[in-house]
Amino acid sequence: MIIHIVGGGPSDCIPSFRRYDGEEVQWIGVDRGVWNLLRAGIRPVKAFGDFDSLDSAELSHVQTALELDIWPAEKDKTDMEIALDWAVQRDAELIRLFGATGGRLDHLFGNVQLLVKYINKRIEMVDKQNIITVHLPGTYTIFANEYPYVSFVPISLDVTGLTLKGFKYPLTNCHIPLGSTLCISNELIQSSGTFSFTDGILMMIRSKDLGGDV
């Protein structure tokens, strides 16, 4: 099972839902993300949020179409975190977050923190130009795809032992301190490559320039 969570981020940052749909996929709407799913002809299995981003007509339409899990505006978790908490209990093999980037930067950084909270789960944050993942120490293989640029950003004080193979700019056992831009905008030069490191928490961002099918 794959779970896709759609938040209320700007719709012009969100790729086509149909590209990611399938029989094994369950969709979850978060706040305005519910409205965007319904407009795309997709009925989510769950809908979470305070729904303060919907006007009265939109909210009435959504309430007619779905049973909503409504939360107060003042609470200790974001709407996205509530939805993600629910999703991780479903033992999904992959969770993707849409509508989690663009717009307000506090929402973006809050959603990155959720990737760290559930770092042991396979979670991707996806928009039209980027796929963001967060990793613990280990060895990982990635494959060339439509996102040609690969950046690595430490989100702990230090990342040690970083080794990149199959990249335009390889590294061997490199120390990357917090604040470093050494590993921004690399590229695979083979059909696949590996990255590995021995300590710290590392964010990988795969990016592309806009244009063509998104």
Side-chain angles (χ1 to χ4, degrees):
M1 176 178 59
I2 297 172
I3 295 179
H4 290 166
I5 304 176
V6 181
S11 58
D12 59 358
C13 294
I14 302 174
S16 169
F17 297 139
R18 293 301 179 186
R19 293 189 60 195
Y20 293 90
D21 203 8
E23 291 183 0
E24 76 282 10
V25 174
Q26 291 187 354
W27 292 89
I28 300 174
V30 176
D31 206 76
R32 190 168 187 81
V34 179
W35 174 255
N36 290 333
L37 280 170
L38 291 175
R39 288 206 314 165
I42 297 175
R43 182 182 177 87
V45 298
K46 294 286 289 185
F48 296 94
D50 53 38
F51 301 100
D52 59 357
S53 64
L54 299 179
D55 63 32
S56 58
E58 292 168 341
L59 181 58
S60 177
H61 176 81
V62 167
Q63 287 178 312
T64 300
L66 299 169
E67 180 178 349
L68 306 182
D69 193 335
I70 300 177
W71 289 69
E74 297 181 0
K75 51 189 179 295
D76 294 332
K77 294 183 176 182
T78 64
D79 294 334
M80 181 65 79
E81 184 173 9
I82 291 167
L84 187 54
D85 286 348
W86 181 89
V88 298
Q89 297 175 22
R90 298 305 181 274
D91 198 29
E93 63 181 274
L94 170 64
I95 299 172
R96 290 190 177 101
L97 309 183
F98 301 90
T101 64
R104 287 175 51 175
L105 290 179
D106 57 340
H107 290 170
L108 168 62
F109 283 100
N111 291 331
V112 169
Q113 290 300 304
L114 296 181
L115 298 184
V116 178
K117 176 181 178 180
Y118 286 116
I119 197 167
N120 289 310
K121 300 292 184 178
R122 188 182 170 203
I123 303 175
E124 299 177 351
M125 193 155 62
V126 182
D127 64 25
K128 282 185 177 180
Q129 288 186 264
N130 310 281
I131 299 176
I132 303 171
T133 53
V134 173
H135 302 271
L136 288 171
T139 299
Y140 303 86
T141 300
I142 65 171
F143 298 91
N145 61 17
E146 63 183 293
Y147 297 83
Y149 307 113
V150 187
S151 297
F152 298 97
V153 179
I155 54 175
S156 56
L157 285 178
D158 295 278
V159 168
T160 58
L162 180 61
T163 297
L164 305 179
K165 297 180 180 180
F167 286 82
K168 183 177 181 179
Y169 307 109
L171 290 176
T172 301
N173 198 29
C174 191
H175 169 224
I176 311 296
L178 185 66
S180 172
T181 61
L182 175 66
C183 297
I184 299 298
S185 199
N186 209 331
E187 298 178 53
L188 287 172
I189 56 173
Q190 301 174 3
S191 59
S192 65
T194 63
F195 68 95
S196 62
F197 62 106
T198 57
D199 193 50
I201 300 175
L202 189 66
M203 180 165 61
M204 180 176 67
I205 306 172
R206 305 196 66 173
S207 302
K208 66 179 179 180
D209 296 318
L210 281 182
D213 183 16
V214 294

